[in-house]
Amino acid sequence: METRRNIFFSYKKDPAKLPDIEQLMTIAKEQGFEIVTNQDAANIIVAVGGDGAFLQAVRKSGFRDDCLYVGVTDEEEASLYCDFHIYDTESMIAAMQTANVEVRRYPVIDVHLDGHTHFHCLNELSVRSSIIKTFVIDVIIDDLHFETFRGDGIVVSTPTGSTAYNRSLNGAVVDPLIPCIQVSEMASLNNNQFRTLGSSFILSDSRKLTLHIVQDGNEYPVIGLDNEALSVQNTKNIEVEMSGKIIKTVKLKNNSFWHKVQRTFL
Ligand code: NAP
């Protein structure tokens, strides 16, 4: 990490966890890194917590592709975005002493609401009915009206998000080396009037997906961007594409995406 020396630590201000975080900061200083309190001045952002904390750190720092994100879990269970455990200081020191760490690149999706508001997602975009009623979405791939969905909602996930919400909807787990968008349904109501594919499908990085929310009385779904809900109401068109941005993390030996999937789920 020769050229990256400024570290920002992102963590929940939980007094019980502060001593462990202070210990990490001390180790980083001993290795010649500078701890910065303004994340814009950082070229390494360390998220301490789990996957949720990693997603928040990426969002709060603006999905920067000019810095390295490092996930540190403080839980027993393995996390998909965390390459280090908070007590495994040996691995952290080894990585800090490596001049050129290998970098892993995670694809991100771009979401445009009604052609003006623009967001990024590292896990997924979710669009869900906010009341106990179905709602209707026209699903458009490029300029093809592919299907009309009626049900609870739709999740559009990235490859790294494929192990999260998407997986609970029986979507496939996708290798992040394949930049693509996966679309999964939540409880589609299929009958003679509304019919959807019924399985998840994966779009290449050159496709554009448009979700047109049909204005029929239940047009205020909850829109989720990773682990944040948007308070935007009355959205009609949601466009999703692969982003030009990527999120960089440290790539360690024997810790590929598939090692993590195996550790977490098998
Ligand atoms: P949460 O509801 O507290 O936890 C959701 C769980 O998903 C946590 O165990 C979290 O890991 C894990 N997770 C997050 N991203 C993951 C990924 N890419 N691959 C595998 N597991 C992942 O919320 P959160 O911790 O802030 O995470 C937000 C995510 O929860 C959303 O982006 C969405 O994907 C997911 N979610 C899933 C469902 C569902 O499966 N029915 C419903 C809503 C949201 P950590 O414990 O390490 O944080």
Side-chain angles (χ1 to χ4, degrees), residues 207-220:
R207 301 257 182 232
K208 181 169 83 179
L209 177 81
T210 306
L211 302 178
H212 172 71
I213 296 161
V214 176
Q215 310 292 296
D216 73 343
N218 180 13
E219 58 262 13
Y220 300 121

Side-chain angles (χ1 to χ4, degrees), residues 5 11-12 18 25 38 85 90 107 110 112 132 145 156 164 179 198 232 252:
R5 304 309 298 179
Y11 53 95
K12 250 198 204 151
L18 266 184
M25 290 181 177
N38 172 6
H85 191 274
E90 219 172 275
D110 281 348
H112 290 264
I132 307 296
H145 176 217
V156 185
V232 179
L252 301 177

Side-chain angles (χ1 to χ4, degrees), residues 50-53 55 75 78-81 123-124 128 160-166 168 226-227 264-265:
D51 287 332
L55 292 168
E75 291 157 15
S79 288
L80 261 292
Y81 289 112
N123 255 2
E124 76 282 292
R128 291 188 297 186
T160 51
S162 70
T163 49
Y165 210 160
N166 167 76
S168 304
D226 300 333
N227 52 7
T264 310
F265 300 111

